[in-house]
Amino acid sequence: MTPPHTPDPDAPLDAVVVGAGPAGAAAALELARAGRSVTLLERGPYPGSKNVYGGVVYGRVLDDVLPHWRDEAPVQRWVVRRSTMLLTAQRALSADLRAQDWGAPPHNGMTAYRADFDSWLAHKAVAAGARLLTSTVATGLLRDPTGSFTGVRTDRPAGDLTARVVIACDGVNSFLAKQAGLLPAADTAHHTLGVKEVIGLGRDTIDERFGLRGTDGADIEMLGHTRGIPGGGFLYTNTDTVAVGAVLSLTGLAQAGVRPEEVLTDLKRHPAIAPYLRGGTVEEYSAHLIPEGGYDRMPRLVDDGLLIAGDAAGMTLAAGIWLEGVNFAIGSGLAAGRAAANALATGDVSARALAPYRRDLESTFVLADHKRLRGAPGLVLSDRVQHRYPHLLTDLAHGVFTVTNPEPKPGIAALLRRSARRNGVRLRHLAADAWRAWRVFR
Ligand SMILES: Cc1cc2nc3c(=O)[nH]c(=O)nc-3n(C[C@H](O)[C@H](O)[C@H](O)COP(=O)(O)OP(=O)(O)OC[C@H]3O[C@@H](n4cnc5c(N)ncnc54)[C@H](O)[C@@H]3O)c2cc1C
């Protein structure tokens, strides 16, 4: 690793990275470590100040780059309980995994506040030699006469920042990727809207209600009870607050004429969720878009002098039972930083010289996971999975566990036929979806 250096603020830059979220911080870290002069631009007053997510970071992507991250990162809790809940208005059916080993290294997920986590990661890049410019908006891309990207326009009095490479990590709906022609101007069909509340409850109450101790945390994902709008809900524990939210199809919201807060209120009032939240105080409300297009809708990732990473490239994995984005942002940011550093070293930053970026991503979890799960968004957001199966399965479980004496038990096959009939599901569709799910998730 090349030792950190202090860049001259007036010298032409090797790279400018736009957005100090996890993707941008990771890209800047790699470039700075490679001895490159790099400026990390952030529109907020500090990294993470504007960033919204549910709350779980899967940090193992950092093992090689920041081997001590487990001791240093601003962890709220380590997730040891992972529950998936199917909801109907009056019922809930859960698969509830308790994995106490996740509370110790190598760990699995941790809850963290983005203001803390993004600042921590961005300052790792600064410690490696990157320059962080906050309260600065990139307002456009600069191009030379050949069409190659050569920096960004900003809203600072000093104006433009020229650089040999630009890395756009400006998040979902990336303004820069759109300006470069890599993303379509509007694509509501492939985005969801996430809304979230942070609710203060106190550490002891959280421990008691979620069955936790010490730094143990819980992650509950919900499917169903979203007024027919494709999407789902989540409930995560921080140290003394919980994050509760809903992720909802934009087109579904528009068609239903429902506000996302109304769906969130329904989830919070559900008899399986309300007892966790009773007596809590809402401390924060936020909303943000999520890219849902998956592998098949990912844009071209490079152009001459330009790379895009993280949500700007649509790299969130929102596949029903998974909601991961920070790990993909870090993984792609690191790969973009590496590709840029290698290209800079050869003196050629054309799209062809930056092409190894995509190959790098294809060979790691970043695109391998997206490729493997490319059919997941279509399946998980389908009408039967969203609306009929939560009813069918809770109905089936209800039938199995209802003791009908003096009638004898009806038998599971009969109960399944009855639940399918009641909920408008044909058994051949159930079998076809089970086969499809097997092919998508295997
Ligand atoms: C409701 C919700 C729940 C989620 N839950 C999870 C979860 O639990 N776990 C998980 O891993 N992922 C989750 N995600 C996804 C995750 O938040 C994203 O995948 C991740 O933040 C992407 O990181 P990024 O660095 O690409 O973009 P971002 O985190 O969005 O960072 C982009 C940065 O660029 C800055 N910026 C934007 N435009 C400009 C500009 N023009 N000039 C300067 N700066 C600019 C922004 O201020 C921001 O700091 C969730 C998302 C939502 C919305």
Side-chain angles (χ1 to χ4, degrees), residues 18-24 41-44 48 50-56 58 114 118 136-138 169-172 194-195 234 236 247 288-290 309-312 316 323-327 329:
V18 179
L41 280 193
E42 171 53 45
R43 66 180 170 183
K50 289 188 179 285
N51 294 347
V52 177
Y53 84 142
V56 181
Y58 299 91
R114 286 296 293 276
D118 290 12
T136 306
V137 182
C169 300
D170 49 337
V172 61
V195 289
F234 59 83
Y236 304 141
V247 172
H288 205 269
L289 288 178
I290 302 176
D311 271 14
T316 294
L323 179 50
E324 301 172 27
V326 172
N327 49 343

Side-chain angles (χ1 to χ4, degrees), residues 107-269:
H107 295 290
N108 189 35
M110 63 175 178
T111 54
Y113 292 124
R114 286 296 293 276
D116 299 340
F117 182 79
D118 290 12
S119 289
W120 169 77
L121 195 56
H123 282 98
K124 290 290 174 193
V126 171
R131 182 168 63 133
L132 173 64
L133 266 186
T134 55
S135 303
T136 306
V137 182
T139 54
L141 286 160
L142 301 174
R143 296 182 103 147
D144 68 15
T146 69
S148 188
F149 294 97
T150 54
V152 290
R153 231 168 253 297
T154 77
D155 65 348
R156 290 190 314 147
D160 301 349
L161 274 178
T162 52
R164 292 162 69 200
V165 177
V166 178
I167 307 188
C169 300
D170 49 337
V172 61
N173 229 3
S174 164
F175 169 66
L176 296 184
K178 282 182 182 176
Q179 211 194 25
L182 300 178
L183 278 182
D187 183 17
T188 45
H190 298 103
H191 286 86
T192 48
L193 179 67
V195 289
K196 168 183 137 170
E197 285 180 5
V198 175
I199 297 180
L201 277 174
R203 180 179 198 139
D204 294 344
T205 305
I206 291 173
D207 285 353
E208 194 186 313
R209 289 184 187 173
F210 289 82
L212 305 170
R213 263 195 346 201
T215 56
D216 291 351
D219 163 344
I220 299 175
E221 306 288 334
M222 304 160 220
L223 193 64
H225 199 49
T226 50
R227 298 200 189 190
I229 299 164
F234 59 83
L235 173 58
Y236 304 141
T237 58
N238 297 309
T239 305
D240 52 16
T241 64
V242 296
V244 59
V247 172
L248 301 162
S249 144
L250 277 179
T251 41
L253 276 168
Q255 278 161 9
V258 172
R259 294 192 57 76
E261 310 87 86
E262 297 175 67
V263 179
L264 182 54
T265 301
D266 288 352
L267 290 173
K268 285 167 55 185
R269 287 187 182 151

